[in-house]
Amino acid sequence: MAVRRGHVIVIPHAAQGHLAPLMKLSLQIAAHGVKVTLVNTEFIHEKVMASLPAKALEEDQRPPISLVSIPDGLEADDDRRDYVKMTESMRRVMPGHFMKLIENINSRSNGDEKISCVLADTAAGWALEVAEKMGIKRAAVLLSGPASMALALHVPKLVEAGILDSDGTLKTDEPITLSEDIPSWSSSELSWSCSDDPVMQKLLFAYVSTAAKTFKFAEQILCNSFHELDPAAMKLIPKALPIGPFSTTNHFETFAGNLWPEDSTCLTWLDKQTPGSVIYVALGSTTMLSPNQVGELALGLELTALPFLWVVRSNMTDGSTAEFPKGFMERVADRAKLVQWAPQEKVLAHPSVSCFLSHCGWNSTIEGLTIGVPFLCWPYFADQFHNRTYICDVWKIGLGLEKDENGIITRNELSSKINTLLSSDEIKANSFQLKGVARKSVAEGGSSFKNFKGFIDQI
Ligand code: UDP
């Protein structure tokens, strides 16, 4: 490894979809000889350590980064799914702990070991304010798609023009358009839109509205995307530096930043399946389905008569463990594999996988498109609806599932869309083509490769 220069401190927001990509980025930076300290809340840190496979703690497997933690201000048994309480507490106590942590590191370090750069998740923008106060170089890391951020940055103008009200509700029948090359947002596709929960919508909108302020403190915005993927949206984000897709450093792949232990038995199961036959079903870390919807999904998968690998998290249904229709497990036993948490990128890259039934979270979107797997889109929340529009209408690498009049995605909808997806040569060809562009961007001489190298040179 090259001689270490500089010391970067990385701070993700306390959630699976934020930690995993920042873990990857930290390992990528460390691979260039830069010292990296990654800061989690104590609650998340404990989960990460408990989810590591035993071999990850062996001397030669330890990652070249320090994993440390600070309090989030809540009690051990407080409900961390209470978004309001959680964000209020983190915002109140974490800046002070973060500043103290940097002071401690600096007081016992010399020269190159002192913190030279703060990298903060855009959802932990307060860390950039701390960095500015302390006179440290700083960059924000954008973990959603560029279009969502472009929209967030336009919020003040949209409110001023009366297009949005102060709670984020669209006041006209016209969708929001930022540029003719970016798909418009209908009212249900706005990343803060929650028609059935106005209090939540208000909160999310207040959070999204702070984007411009966060960006003021950042000297650069590192994006987990590549320029060619969405040049029009990238143009609307000042200081954007696309350096993605962030990639797993093979040697330290056990350090995936998981909050649940990975069940790698699904890889040996995949080895036994026919190439290009398996439907991979994973709806991210927070999606929740009604028991009725879980049943329809199960019956839809059964109806396809194809093998499937389904990630069924213990908290996938609200308050109860998932229950499958009577006899389902017995009927599909010879062609189904269910796990609580999968090594997703390895699964997607497995030759047995044919398609990805996804909730379209940005990480899953960028992982699936980089590996070249066609999507079946089932968005649930936030920016996932607009990501679906990109997947289906802009890149044309997948199909969307439609709900029926009762708000359910039925077994027939599922099975017929899977059949249509798998027989589409056009979607397969587009997926293959986009994968090539993604790979080229991070290969030597590519756009993200050059941007990342420039960033490393600066720190
Ligand atoms: N993931 C995983 N195993 C699973 C399901 C998901 O490793 O069984 C990872 C996935 O690779 C991605 C992250 O969890 O990196 C989910 O992030 P995303 O933005 O797609 O969705 P979120 O969980 O934030 O809704």
Side-chain angles (χ1 to χ4, degrees):
M1 186 184 289
V3 174
R4 285 186 165 172
R5 301 151 286 158
H7 186 170
V8 178
I9 192 160
V10 180
I11 180 132
H13 178 60
Q16 175 69 74
H18 293 249
L19 171 58
L22 280 174
M23 185 73 105
K24 281 190 208 165
L25 179 61
S26 298
L27 290 167
Q28 264 180 255
I29 294 173
H32 283 76
V34 178
K35 189 170 166 60
V36 180
T37 297
L38 184 122
V39 190
N40 278 307
T41 63
E42 288 168 351
F43 179 81
I44 295 283
H45 181 78
E46 233 172 76
K47 277 182 175 275
V48 170
M49 298 315 278
S51 303
L52 283 177
K55 88 167 201 230
L57 297 172
E58 288 166 17
E59 191 64 42
D60 63 337
Q61 294 290 321
R62 291 213 189 117
I65 60 177
S66 308
L67 302 177
V68 302
S69 61
I70 55 178
D72 60 13
L74 295 181
E75 295 300 322
D77 55 354
D78 274 337
D79 181 7
R80 283 169 171 79
R81 284 170 308 176
D82 183 336
Y83 179 81
V84 184
K85 199 163 153 187
M86 171 96 171
T87 28
E88 184 282 322
S89 173
M90 294 199 313
R91 187 78 190 82
R92 184 168 41 78
V93 308
M94 288 183 75
H97 290 297
F98 187 57
M99 189 181 265
K100 236 184 254 157
L101 174 70
I102 296 177
E103 283 167 356
N104 282 344
I105 293 175
N106 286 347
S107 68
R108 53 185 154 80
S109 314
N110 50 29
D112 267 4
E113 300 277 305
K114 287 193 199 293
I115 302 294
S116 51
C117 178
V118 169
L119 284 191
D121 190 331
T122 50
W126 50 263
L128 298 169
E129 284 186 62
V130 172
E132 194 199 42
K133 262 192 215 143
M134 299 180 82
I136 303 173
K137 255 176 128 42
R138 58 216 166 266
V141 190
L142 178 59
L143 301 172
S144 66
S148 307
M149 188 44 74
L151 176 66
L153 292 172
H154 272 75
V155 158
K157 277 193 200 142
L158 294 166
V159 172
E160 202 180 292
I163 295 170
L164 291 173
D165 73 11
S166 57
D167 293 342
T169 303
L170 192 56
K171 300 309 287 175
T172 69
D173 293 335
E174 290 292 305
I176 295 179
T177 303
L178 296 185
S179 135
E180 61 180 27
D181 296 319
I182 300 176
S184 304
W185 284 262
S186 65
S187 57
S188 61
E189 287 173 318
L190 299 169
S191 49
W192 53 86
S193 168
C194 283
S195 52
D196 52 349
D197 188 348
V199 177
M200 185 62 154
Q201 166 159 329
K202 211 172 156 169
L203 276 167
L204 287 175
F205 185 63
Y207 160 68
V208 168
S209 311
T210 61
K213 186 174 164 229
T214 303
F215 274 41
K216 206 177 74 201
F217 292 106
E219 293 170 317
Q220 263 174 335
I221 317 295
L222 308 182
C223 308
N224 187 12
S225 184
F226 49 102
H227 176 78
E228 296 78 0
L229 189 61
D230 193 357
M234 211 52 94
K235 216 161 76 188
L236 298 181
I237 308 176
K239 307 185 249 186
L241 193 70
I243 56 169
F246 299 169
S247 64
T248 311
T249 316
N250 280 340
H251 186 54
F252 297 108
E253 61 195 3
T254 40
F255 283 85
N258 283 319
L259 305 187
W260 292 274
E262 274 178 4
D263 184 345
S264 51
T265 59
C266 57
L267 296 174
T268 36
W269 179 83
L270 281 172
D271 288 343
K272 294 185 196 123
Q273 308 305 314
T274 311
S277 67
V278 175
I279 306 163
Y280 173 53
V281 184
L283 304 175
S285 58
T286 60
T287 307
M288 277 203 274
L289 302 178
S290 65
N292 186 13
Q293 182 62 88
V294 171
E296 262 330 276
L297 169 52
L299 294 173
L301 291 169
E302 183 180 349
L303 207 55
T304 63
L306 291 166
F308 59 89
L309 166 58
W310 184 3
V311 177
V312 182
R313 296 186 336 267
S314 50
N315 59 350
M316 189 177 74
T317 46
D318 200 0
S320 54
T321 40
E323 271 187 37
F324 300 114
K326 198 154 179 273
F328 167 74
M329 290 305 289
E330 292 76 25
R331 293 194 300 273
V332 297
D334 61 343
R335 62 182 170 92
K337 174 80 178 164
L338 270 56
V339 292
Q340 280 231 28
W341 194 250
Q344 178 156 301
E345 287 183 272
K346 282 192 202 150
V347 166
L348 288 171
H350 197 287
S352 295
V353 169
S354 60
C355 66
F356 183 12
L357 172 41
S358 169
H359 71 313
C360 311
W362 184 251
N363 293 301
S364 295
T365 301
I366 197 101
E367 289 162 6
L369 73 84
T370 303
I371 294 168
V373 186
F375 284 84
L376 199 59
C377 301
W378 186 331
Y380 166 72
F381 185 59
D383 58 341
Q384 297 157 11
F385 295 92
H386 202 245
N387 295 343
R388 172 195 53 189
T389 305
Y390 271 93
I391 291 171
C392 300
D393 305 340
V394 179
W395 308 320
K396 299 187 167 58
I397 56 170
L399 296 177
L401 291 165
E402 304 297 336
K403 291 184 172 163
D404 72 0
E405 60 285 1
N406 301 315
I408 290 285
I409 291 176
T410 63
R411 66 193 84 169
N412 289 324
E413 166 69 1
L414 254 159
S415 119
S416 78
K417 280 277 165 65
I418 287 177
N419 287 334
T420 313
L421 180 72
L422 295 181
S423 54
S424 168
D425 290 336
E426 190 199 341
I427 290 179
K428 267 184 219 139
N430 292 341
S431 305
F432 183 76
Q433 203 255 342
L434 191 57
K435 161 183 159 176
V437 183
R439 303 248 159 143
K440 205 168 155 201
S441 75
V442 283
E444 187 148 5
S447 58
S448 284
F449 178 91
K450 285 191 207 149
N451 287 342
F452 184 63
K453 189 171 176 305
F455 171 70
I456 291 289
D457 289 345
Q458 279 175 48
I459 52 173

